[in-house]
Amino acid sequence: GENVEQHPSTLSVQEGDSAVIKCTYSDSASNYFPWYKQELGKRPQLIIDIRSNVGEKKDQRIAVTLNKTAKHFSLHITETQPEDSAVYFCAASIKNKLIFGAGTRLAVHP
Amino acid sequence: ETGVTQSPTHLIKTRGQQVTLRCSSQSGHNTVSWYQQALGQGPQFIFQYYREEENGRGNFPPRFSGLQFPNYSSELNVNALELDDSALYLCASSKSAGGLGEKLFFGSGTQLSVL
């Protein structure tokens, strides 16, 4: 079936620490893996994405890695700041739709 | 801001009623997808519209229907509302109908409460 599992569901870190969120997907045909950040009461915002022909992508403090063989992909946030606090969703594409994980609530404490 | 606008922002309905939600896509985007986001969960795909035709549908009953207009704006209609339809309804636009992974840009959503 079409499924994306995301862990952990909650993550609490101290400012300056790193945060890692992991996802696994079920459909080997998935070829696009975006990550969205959603602050309370706001829209999901695309923060980084990766396509299946790339193993890693970095944008300043955030990076995403993809292991197609294992069907795993991960979000890494370094030097976390309080404004990174939000819910993060991973997603995997299947044909023309995205299947989302259940989300990770990240809290960054000053 | 993404340029995707949705209306209304909030809506309260009672069971059995019908509702229409509206979405204007970002300039240059011809595809609109609708997602339902229940509290504490990730968005779930309802359907996609491309060139005024439905182009894929998720596991939602036929009482969820939609339209896309020539200017690429879209409507989501839900008939015979049920309590479980209470959720945030998100519209997302993209440049095309998602071949090798089109970036989706979300609107702010319509928060629907069914009493």
Side-chain angles (χ1 to χ4, degrees):
Chain A
E2 302 169 346
N3 188 44
V4 174
E5 293 190 2
Q6 183 171 348
H7 299 281
S9 56
T10 60
L11 182 58
S12 182
V13 300
Q14 290 296 124
E15 183 176 0
D17 287 351
S18 295
V20 180
I21 302 171
K22 298 182 179 182
C23 290
T24 60
Y25 60 98
S26 59
D27 195 322
S28 57
S30 295
N31 58 15
Y32 174 64
F33 308 91
W35 286 86
Y36 285 85
K37 174 184 180 182
Q38 188 174 29
E39 297 177 55
L40 190 62
K42 296 193 175 181
R43 75 185 79 200
Q45 287 189 300
L46 179 66
I47 57 171
I48 195 167
D49 57 11
I50 192 168
R51 287 181 168 76
S52 58
N53 58 345
V54 176
E56 185 174 354
K57 184 177 178 181
K58 189 174 181 181
D59 183 4
Q60 299 182 349
R61 295 186 299 109
I62 59 173
V64 59
T65 58
L66 171 65
N67 183 330
K68 281 219 77 178
T69 303
K71 296 182 192 172
H72 290 170
F73 58 115
S74 300
L75 178 71
H76 304 251
I77 306 175
T78 58
E79 301 171 27
T80 53
Q81 301 167 3
E83 52 265 38
D84 294 330
S85 297
V87 179
Y88 290 80
F89 292 99
C90 63
S93 69
I94 297 176
K95 296 180 182 177
N96 62 336
K97 63 185 176 185
L98 292 179
I99 305 299
F100 284 83
T104 296
R105 183 172 298 279
L106 173 64
V108 180
H109 302 285
Chain B
E1 294 299 314
T2 63
V4 181
T5 58
Q6 291 187 244
S7 62
T9 54
H10 296 83
L11 205 51
I12 299 175
K13 292 286 188 178
T14 56
R15 276 187 305 173
Q17 285 189 310
Q18 178 267 342
V19 69
T20 297
L21 311 182
R22 295 177 175 84
C23 172
S24 294
S25 61
Q26 185 166 318
S27 177
H29 288 187
N30 61 16
T31 302
V32 171
S33 302
W34 286 91
Y35 286 79
Q36 180 196 66
Q37 186 177 22
L39 190 63
Q41 297 182 23
Q44 284 198 302
F45 178 73
I46 303 175
F47 43 53
Q48 181 184 85
Y49 277 83
Y50 171 62
R51 293 184 176 178
E52 303 177 54
E53 298 285 334
E54 187 180 288
N55 182 47
R57 188 179 184 91
N59 294 326
F60 282 82
R63 58 190 186 83
F64 286 77
S65 63
L67 284 173
Q68 187 179 34
F69 301 98
N71 66 355
Y72 307 127
S73 65
S74 178
E75 287 183 354
L76 164 65
N77 299 290
V78 187
N79 293 323
L81 284 167
E82 300 176 0
L83 297 180
D84 285 350
D85 296 334
S86 296
L88 179 67
Y89 288 84
L90 293 163
C91 166
S93 75
S94 53
K95 284 185 179 178
S96 68
L100 289 177
E102 284 292 335
K103 295 178 189 286
L104 285 189
F105 296 93
F106 284 94
S108 295
T110 294
Q111 185 66 54
L112 173 64
S113 298
V114 182
L115 306 178

